[in-house]
Amino acid sequence: MAVVPLPVTTLQQLDRLRKGLFWKGASKCTGGDCQVAWELACRDINDGGVGLKDLATLNTSLLLKHIHKLFAGVQNPWTDWMRLWYDEGYSVEDTPLVAAGGLTAAALQPRLTAAARHELELLGMAIAGVVLGGSHDGRVFVDSPSEAPTAGAFYRRIRTPAIAPPLSDINWVGFAPKKAKIFFWIVRHGRTRTRDSMHRHGALDSPDCPFCPGHSEDLDHLFARCPRLAAFWARVLPGHSPPTSACDAAELVAGLLAAQDAQLGHTAALGALWIVWKSRNRMVFDGIRLDLDALVRLLRDHLLLWCCRASRKLHVSPLQAWCQSLVHIA
């Protein structure tokens, strides 16, 4: 990948394997398994993605790093070979295969497409007036922390920043498991598989909520407005108005522990939404409806377990005390 431009078909085959592993934990997946566009998943977490690398951009970035080494005067076997070939008149006829008669010089000539020839002409016009001195040029890449640019610096410059959905900090700054973070990332993009969305795609006959027939189960209903959650949110958010959406609920829960440490509030917010989602699936797939006490105990158990994932430098006692207070409320 750092030596030659990879063909588009090769990149597509690699991405097919990556998609299968990411979405399904298998060697391949179908379109229905991919809940968010792959182009979005390959963006930085601050741009609404999950930080996966776009292989085509990465391939270009690695090649640019090598090209910079060539023009910046870096000494290594690759640059020495390139300078020997082009700067000292080493021709294709001097290669061992051609000299031995195994290949003809014409067979090794580059075969450029019309588009590539046009790009080559434009490049030649751009550098026609450039006069090079006897010493090496000094180059500094503005996005690199040092004078020697990295492939990551090229990658960040090539990728176009995007407008990300809100609550990126709640999504990623915390110690919730990766699966919970990916779950909330899907929620932020509005791609959660609610019964309403599955009905619109023809997968279900009815969009009704499994807890309250007659009400469509959209994203906000599932996580905030469903009547079965009124007591749950009253327990979790005492003194606050009931949330109106999933993102509203996440912000309110995160604010409860923001004074102690933002990571504690962010993890608690993901835990609350995660429990709502798991309890909904328990009803859909097993026909079991969890009551309020079961919900808060489940939330407490999950958060206490997640505390084991936190850094040793982080004091999680405020979150642990908050979890216990949920269960002990009469």
Side-chain angles (χ1 to χ4, degrees):
M1 181 172 283
V3 179
V4 296
L6 295 182
V8 176
T9 53
T10 301
L11 295 174
Q12 290 175 344
Q13 291 174 355
L14 292 173
D15 274 338
R16 190 175 297 116
L17 295 173
R18 297 170 73 210
K19 291 177 184 178
L21 179 62
F22 181 79
W23 288 114
K24 203 174 180 181
S27 59
K28 61 181 180 179
C29 65
T30 61
D33 298 318
C34 306
Q35 294 180 247
V36 181
W38 188 245
E39 192 276 334
L40 283 177
C42 290
R43 290 191 174 273
D44 187 79
I45 58 176
N46 295 320
D47 293 334
V50 296
L52 299 176
K53 296 297 185 183
D54 178 75
L55 294 183
T57 306
L58 182 60
N59 186 200
T60 302
S61 303
L62 292 169
L63 293 174
L64 287 174
K65 180 181 177 181
H66 273 306
I67 293 174
H68 179 273
K69 290 180 179 179
L70 179 65
F71 287 99
V74 176
Q75 297 290 329
N76 61 36
W78 182 81
T79 57
D80 292 342
W81 179 81
M82 292 295 290
R83 294 188 188 101
L84 174 67
W85 184 278
Y86 290 102
D87 292 349
E88 300 184 7
Y90 191 71
S91 66
V92 70
E93 286 81 2
D94 297 325
T95 58
L97 285 176
V98 174
L103 290 174
T104 63
L108 296 177
Q109 294 300 316
R111 297 177 176 84
L112 298 179
T113 64
R117 285 196 299 271
H118 178 64
E119 292 178 356
L120 182 59
E121 292 174 1
L122 293 177
L123 178 60
M125 294 170 58
I127 65 176
V130 178
V131 179
L132 300 179
S135 60
H136 294 298
D137 295 335
R139 294 175 174 82
V140 177
F141 193 72
V142 294
D143 286 347
S144 180
S146 63
E147 292 187 1
T150 62
F154 283 118
Y155 185 93
R156 290 187 295 272
R157 174 52 68 94
I158 295 173
R159 296 291 287 178
T160 304
I163 299 177
L167 308 185
S168 175
D169 54 343
I170 294 179
N171 199 157
W172 304 110
V173 182
F175 46 88
K178 183 67 70 175
K179 62 180 180 181
K181 293 181 178 180
I182 297 298
F183 151 77
F184 186 57
W185 172 70
I186 295 173
V187 170
R188 290 171 57 219
H189 282 281
R191 303 295 294 174
T192 304
R193 287 178 175 165
T194 62
R195 294 182 65 85
D196 177 70
S197 65
M198 296 183 71
H199 173 69
R200 284 187 280 106
H201 286 86
L204 292 177
D205 296 331
S206 171
D208 288 357
C209 173
F211 297 95
C212 43
H215 294 81
S216 179
E217 187 198 57
D218 58 16
L219 194 64
D220 293 337
H221 179 91
L222 193 161
F223 289 104
R225 297 201 303 262
C226 184
R228 65 118 181 175
L229 296 176
F232 174 75
W233 289 123
R235 177 77 66 88
V236 174
L237 299 168
H240 291 79
S241 300
T244 58
S245 66
C247 291
D248 185 30
E251 285 187 291
L252 291 174
V253 176
L256 296 176
L257 298 167
Q260 285 77 22
D261 192 287
Q263 293 190 56
L264 303 182
H266 297 169
T267 304
L270 266 61
L273 294 178
W274 179 254
I275 293 307
V276 171
W277 175 247
K278 298 293 285 185
S279 63
R280 176 262 189 190
N281 289 343
R282 192 77 181 274
M283 179 66 176
V284 171
F285 298 110
D286 300 330
I288 299 175
R289 177 169 183 155
L290 300 179
D291 58 16
L292 174 61
D293 291 336
L295 284 176
V296 294
R297 283 197 302 268
L298 199 60
L299 175 58
R300 178 200 61 184
D301 295 343
H302 274 72
L303 291 180
L304 292 179
L305 183 61
W306 293 359
C307 285
C308 299
R309 299 172 47 86
S311 170
R312 293 183 179 180
K313 298 180 181 180
L314 181 64
H315 297 288
V316 297
S317 54
L319 178 58
Q320 294 171 334
W322 180 75
C323 293
Q324 298 295 348
S325 69
L326 294 177
V327 179
H328 295 157
I329 293 177

